[in-house]
Amino acid sequence: PGRGSLEPLNPGVVSAAGQLLRLFCPGAFPMGASRREAGRRPNENLRDIKLERPFYLGTREVTNAEFRLFDAEHSSGTLAGLTLDNEAQPVVRITWAQAALFCNWLSDQESLPHFYEVAGEDVVGFNTESTGYRLPTEAEWAWAARTDGSGNQLKYSWGSTLPPAEGSGNFADLTAQSYLGQIMFDYEDGYLATAPVASFAPNQNELYDMAGNVAEWVHDYYGAVGSASGVEVDPMGPLEGQFHTIRGSSWAHGSVTELRLSFRDFGEEIRDDVGFRVARDRKSVV
């Protein structure tokens, strides 16, 4: 309301850092998992979601090279003697706030209004009217990961059964058995830790690494998810909290619980298996 008409449909935009973002015009879907689903956790209550706003979503996770355009000093470090810091690997060991500040920096490069309101190094709020870069909301992430355009909800990125089909993504596998306690013994992807982004086939929405490689910070604070009655429209999560929500599995995940696309995690500390991808709203033309 009050936003004027939307710009003509452009199926993709390219950010100043060279990232392709695809346009999605979503709809209604159930977020979460049935209580009967094996591996389900109590924080996955089913919620009726309706996404009314079209949004752009990065097809790939943000790489070290892209993040270093913003913070030249950043290092994603090493793991078991292997580098996590090559240019094409996804950036890791960043806080949620660093991801949000990267989004504001991207907006600056294109003279877009900041989505995140900042005081010093702290993110203190956000402007929902901004068309600047931001993290995807949890609901947007879930829609893009799980819906296939025909009303179905994917359980795993590759289908409905374990183990993953060959080449499905970078998970806790035989390659990582010397480092990780819990792995899949019937899957091998060739990477102990992070792989260069987009090393595996994209999902049904032409998005890479929505499962595996690194888990991803999303916009929302993490909070208790009630089984609210009624439909939630374009939810953006709680207004405050200590933790932020993390979605998706990573190279360190290999259990039924973690590999399911409805898996929800949270945190505030940096991790060597958490990165992010960028999103933004479509501009309105007044």
Side-chain angles (χ1 to χ4, degrees):
R3 286 189 169 195
S5 60
L6 289 168
E7 67 182 347
L9 282 177
N10 180 346
V13 294
V14 177
S15 77
Q19 299 146 322
L20 174 65
L21 287 81
R22 292 197 68 220
L23 177 66
F24 294 103
C25 300
F29 75 107
M31 188 159 98
S34 157
R35 289 177 184 274
R36 295 186 299 277
E37 184 169 299
R40 177 193 183 274
R41 298 169 84 204
N43 68 357
E44 297 173 26
N45 283 340
L46 281 169
R47 302 157 63 187
D48 286 321
I49 305 290
K50 187 174 186 185
L51 296 178
E52 294 185 339
R53 287 197 316 247
F55 67 99
Y56 289 102
L57 182 61
T59 59
R60 302 170 183 224
E61 293 162 340
V62 175
T63 65
N64 286 312
E66 292 159 358
F67 193 81
R68 281 196 281 264
L69 295 171
F70 156 69
D71 178 0
E73 301 299 307
H74 179 76
S75 170
S76 288
T78 60
L79 180 90
L82 294 172
T83 185
L84 304 176
D85 209 35
N86 285 335
E87 297 214 326
Q89 286 172 286
V91 66
V92 293
R93 294 188 171 134
I94 49 155
T95 63
W96 179 92
Q98 284 174 294
L101 291 171
F102 173 86
C103 291
N104 276 4
W105 172 85
L106 258 190
S107 298
D108 286 339
Q109 309 314 301
E110 300 175 35
S111 302
L112 294 167
H114 283 180
F115 185 85
Y116 293 103
E117 296 162 0
V118 177
E121 292 289 297
D122 297 325
V123 178
V124 294
F126 53 92
N127 172 16
T128 56
E129 297 297 308
S130 166
T131 55
Y133 288 90
R134 58 178 174 81
L135 296 167
T137 67
E138 181 179 12
E140 289 168 343
W141 192 99
W143 181 90
R146 298 196 66 192
T147 59
D148 67 357
S150 58
N152 298 320
Q153 291 277 96
L154 293 178
K155 180 177 181 180
Y156 304 109
S157 62
W158 57 86
S160 58
T161 58
L162 284 169
E166 186 178 346
S168 292
N170 178 14
F171 307 109
D173 68 324
L174 280 169
T175 328
Q177 67 176 325
S178 63
Y179 184 77
L180 295 173
Q182 184 171 28
I183 64 159
M184 291 181 282
F185 285 97
D186 43 9
Y187 183 73
E188 187 160 12
D189 56 53
Y191 293 95
L192 164 58
T194 59
V197 301
S199 291
F200 298 89
N203 78 352
Q204 69 282 3
N205 286 312
E206 295 179 46
L207 301 167
Y208 294 89
D209 297 317
M210 291 293 281
N213 216 10
V214 291
E216 300 176 14
W217 291 118
V218 292
H219 166 79
D220 308 34
Y221 279 111
Y222 179 79
V225 177
S227 35
S229 54
V231 176
E232 299 175 62
V233 178
D234 294 325
M236 302 198 78
L239 290 175
E240 56 188 23
Q242 178 182 356
F243 303 106
H244 278 95
T245 304
I246 296 168
R247 289 299 300 252
S249 50
S250 78
W251 61 264
H253 290 145
S255 74
V256 170
T257 291
E258 299 158 336
L259 293 173
R260 294 170 312 112
L261 292 171
S262 57
F263 173 61
R264 304 178 71 229
D265 202 356
F266 61 91
E268 60 175 339
E269 304 295 327
I270 62 172
R271 280 173 35 185
D272 55 20
D273 72 329
V274 175
F276 70 107
R277 71 183 68 222
V278 296
R280 54 177 284 205
D281 286 331
R282 220 163 109 219
K283 284 183 191 168
S284 40
V285 183
V286 179

